[in-house]
Amino acid sequence: MNVSSAQPAGAAARWRRVLVGRNPARAVVRGVVILLVSLVTFRWVLVPIRTHGPSMLPTYRDGGLYFVNRFAYLASEPRRGDVVAIRLAGPHVLFVKRVLALPGERVLIRGGIVYVDGKPLAEPYVVHRAQWLMGEKALGAREYFVAGDNRGMRIEQHELGAVDRDRIVGRLVW
Amino acid sequence: MKRAVGLLVVILIAAAGWFAWVTFFPSDERRIRARLDEIVDTVNARSSDGLSRIADAARLASFFTEDVTIDPGPPYPVMQGRDAILAAASAAGRGAGGFELAFVDVQVAMGGTGTATAHLTLTLTWPNVQTSGSTVDAREVQLALREEAGEWRVAGGAPVQTLQR
């Protein structure tokens, strides 16, 4: 009787030690610190996003969960080939696009091939290529030209174009 | 101790007073935000019986000025007047499975007397029959609002080009 009643008490003590450790006050502090670090990280640094739509296929699948590094461009500027998140009216709905051309460059699309300053752009991430056509566009001092990786879509159904630097909120990391 | 309790009571009364003031005398910005929420709720309600549908249509019409002009952007034509808006909303609602409207990241800027603008992201979510998931279309939109007979109404709307071709 004594043995059987002692076993649950011992198990409870073990579980309590696993969950809160030897010092409950320290466990609370640890929990609060973890909570704060997670909150700051996932709200302002690595922001989780869920993608909708086929425009970044096959690189990023529809419905996938990814993270935006909002600190990626604090010390440097977006580079060609980076996949970036672009804000619309605010931070809760974002476009995910790839940077194809940089400020000051000229970009045009002919036969589905992107030309930057007259030279065709090598794009190994593009699998299907429809016959897209877009006249030459000269980018301003703070403009980047972006498009999705899915070039098999009709160009009318695809969001692409020049975006102001201020709208780029970060780079996709996964 | 008595002083602390007194201070707490004063703070609670002040908070209740502020809450009552905000509730019963909302600012124009709050009224506009509430109005935009009402538009979303009405569009998403989609009543099934005939009488409720007529009531929903009348309610939806009340959110727009008589001379409202909405430019949905290419390839769609500009819509002028309440009737055109209602016809478009009705036609869109009849699509496969209907859609869900949302206004996200709403920013309201007050203009001159009785005018304001709202900058927001409009999202439409459709059920996708092929993937059995959903398709989301997001647009950045600028709405012009006007106060008429004490009510804020949408007087115009146009897309904002997030990406410039």
Side-chain angles (χ1 to χ4, degrees), chain A residues 2-71:
Chain A
N2 282 341
V3 173
S4 62
S5 64
Q7 269 178 343
R14 264 200 307 277
W15 272 112
R16 197 163 53 239
R17 243 174 82 176
V18 167
L19 291 174
V20 297
R22 284 183 187 156
N23 187 334
R26 271 193 188 173
V28 170
V29 171
R30 214 166 30 232
V32 169
V33 168
I34 289 171
L35 195 73
L36 285 176
V37 169
S38 304
L39 197 74
V40 169
T41 302
F42 295 117
R43 196 176 170 88
W44 287 289
V45 185
L46 279 181
V47 182
I49 58 164
R50 188 169 293 283
T51 54
H52 290 282
S55 78
M56 280 302 287
L57 287 173
T59 316
Y60 294 92
R61 65 182 174 84
D62 184 11
L65 180 68
Y66 303 99
F67 289 87
V68 176
N69 178 4
R70 296 194 66 175
F71 282 11

Side-chain angles (χ1 to χ4, degrees), chain A residues 3 16 18 21 37 47 50 71 82 88 90 92 100 112 114 122-124 135 148-149 166 172:
Chain A
V3 173
R16 197 163 53 239
V18 167
V37 169
V47 182
R50 188 169 293 283
F71 282 11
D82 284 359
L88 280 79
H92 294 103
L100 302 183
V114 177
E123 296 187 280
D149 288 354
D166 294 341
L172 261 71

Side-chain angles (χ1 to χ4, degrees), chain A residues 61-111:
Chain A
R61 65 182 174 84
D62 184 11
L65 180 68
Y66 303 99
F67 289 87
V68 176
N69 178 4
R70 296 194 66 175
F71 282 11
Y73 301 125
L74 284 186
S76 65
E77 292 299 309
R79 290 177 302 181
R80 198 185 324 279
D82 284 359
V83 176
V84 296
I86 297 159
R87 70 169 173 76
L88 280 79
H92 294 103
V93 179
L94 304 166
F95 281 153
V96 173
K97 301 287 170 189
R98 192 179 291 276
V99 174
L100 302 183
L102 306 175
E105 293 181 332
R106 290 171 296 114
V107 57
L108 73 85
I109 304 174
R110 197 188 302 138

Side-chain angles (χ1 to χ4, degrees), chain A residues 52 62 86-93 95 97 137 145-146 155-156 158-163 167, chain B residues 104-107 119-121 123 128 131 134-141 160-165:
Chain A
H52 290 282
D62 184 11
I86 297 159
R87 70 169 173 76
L88 280 79
H92 294 103
V93 179
F95 281 153
K97 301 287 170 189
K137 185 169 180 63
F145 191 88
V146 297
I155 193 168
E156 301 81 28
H158 194 103
E159 293 284 349
L160 76 159
V163 63
R167 285 183 177 271
Chain B
V104 188
D105 293 325
V106 179
Q107 297 155 49
H119 181 204
L120 52 93
T121 301
T123 66
N128 187 328
T131 63
S134 58
T135 301
V136 181
D137 190 11
R139 300 280 149 154
E140 200 173 338
V141 173
V160 175
Q161 294 299 318
T162 311
L163 305 180
Q164 308 272 347
R165 279 200 192 179

